[in-house]
Amino acid sequence: MSGLFITMEGLDGSGKTTQLEILKQNLEAKGFNVLLVREPGGSKISEKIRNIILDIENKEMHYMTEALLYSASRAQLVHEVIMPSLKQGKIVLCDRFVDSSLVYQGVARGLGIDIIKKINNIATEGLTPDITFFLDIEPKFALERKKQQKKLDRIESEKLDFYNMVYKGYKTILKSDGGRIIRIDANKDLEDIQNEILTNIENLFC
Ligand code: T5A
């Protein structure tokens, strides 16, 4: 498969969306054909699934239902949008991917990393990003940014303990990913973070 598949990971409020929007502009200015999508969502059906997952009213949702809905949204996005775009040679930027499920559902919800990997291997046919950026910021600082921003959804309404588990989960997968995930200090200013991301992407082409 041609094209390049780049994903952005981190806690809610770590700055993923902000960085991806700047990255899209920077890569397009260099002449690349770029597609930016988000998870959960990114296609008509996946956005409908997103609404079910994040609806603050759905408090009774079982953790396994949650994990399967994230993977269902992902399956649709991968098959309808990501794989065809990569085949066309595009750079696909994705705001979260399987790593989010590994840490939010596998670690923080306690379902286990192995079972989440299995579900997602089926959903994505094993599609793995070429490079993943982990925007590293401690939970208390990330949540401060979120609280200033908007009304919180069902997942964002979780307490600090939950985000501490998510953060621990990211640190765990960072140690065992074989170099695909690049840690970026997300406490820095926007421009410094973006420059570090761009340097790492340029290195992929060398
Ligand atoms: N989820 C998702 C799972 O549990 N399992 C999964 O498999 C998947 C895919 C998605 C939720 O679903 C969960 C994770 C999430 O809880 P969402 O609304 O899409 O919900 O939430 P996020 O992906 O977390 O996106 P957010 O928009 O909430 O956070 P971002 O994108 O990380 O942060 P961003 O860029 O919006 O920035 C937040 C604020 O910080 C400022 C920005 O201006 C903004 O106000 N900011 C900075 N301030 C200072 N310095 C910087 N360097 C800054 N960068 C950004």
Side-chain angles (χ1 to χ4, degrees):
M1 192 179 293
S2 52
L4 194 67
F5 184 31
I6 300 172
T7 60
M8 194 74 72
E9 292 285 346
L11 293 171
D12 305 55
S14 56
K16 300 177 303 302
T17 311
T18 307
Q19 287 300 329
L20 281 171
E21 281 165 1
I22 304 171
L23 181 60
K24 182 173 188 287
Q25 287 171 16
N26 281 331
L27 292 172
E28 283 175 343
K30 289 176 195 284
F32 292 105
N33 195 345
V34 185
L35 178 77
L36 170 57
V37 288
R38 68 170 179 183
E39 278 218 335
S43 76
K44 191 180 75 184
I45 293 170
S46 307
E47 288 290 330
K48 285 185 178 175
I49 299 172
R50 175 188 175 94
N51 290 338
I52 297 171
I53 299 173
L54 298 182
D55 187 344
I56 194 98
E57 299 292 321
N58 289 339
K59 292 195 191 322
E60 71 276 30
M61 189 181 290
H62 191 277
Y63 292 165
M64 184 52 78
T65 310
E66 182 182 286
L68 290 167
L69 284 174
Y70 275 115
S71 64
S73 163
R74 184 167 295 131
Q76 186 64 31
L77 178 66
V78 163
H79 292 281
E80 185 186 338
V81 180
I82 298 179
M83 279 182 177
S85 300
L86 291 173
K87 279 184 189 144
Q88 289 164 15
K90 289 184 186 168
I91 297 184
V92 178
L93 307 177
C94 194
D95 196 336
R96 300 189 176 280
F97 198 58
V98 174
D99 295 315
S100 284
S101 284
L102 298 183
V103 299
Y104 281 77
Q105 282 65 54
V107 177
R109 294 297 200 205
L111 294 175
I113 284 186
D114 286 345
I115 191 153
I116 300 298
K117 264 190 191 160
K118 278 183 194 151
I119 294 167
N120 279 280
N121 265 335
I122 297 167
T124 65
E125 289 181 20
L127 178 69
T128 306
D130 295 294
I131 190 165
T132 297
F133 295 100
F134 165 54
L135 295 188
D136 188 348
I137 182 170
E138 283 187 32
K140 60 182 175 191
F141 299 125
L143 285 181
E144 267 169 34
R145 284 185 191 170
K146 284 288 329 173
K147 278 176 188 158
Q148 291 166 7
Q149 209 185 4
K150 60 164 188 168
K151 201 168 157 241
L152 301 182
D153 64 38
R154 193 176 62 84
I155 305 289
E156 289 163 355
S157 306
E158 293 291 343
K159 303 281 180 293
L160 186 60
D161 283 354
F162 177 80
Y163 286 99
N164 283 331
M165 290 291 286
V166 171
Y167 188 62
K168 205 175 128 203
Y170 274 122
K171 295 282 171 160
T172 304
I173 63 168
L174 197 59
K175 278 187 205 144
S176 60
D177 81 298
R180 169 179 58 87
I181 306 177
I182 309 289
R183 180 196 165 273
I184 306 274
D185 181 353
N187 298 289
K188 292 183 181 169
D189 66 36
L190 294 182
E191 201 181 327
D192 287 345
I193 296 171
Q194 183 66 199
N195 286 338
E196 212 175 321
I197 290 170
L198 280 172
T199 303
N200 277 285
I201 293 172
E202 278 159 16
N203 289 342
L204 271 185
F205 292 105
C206 297

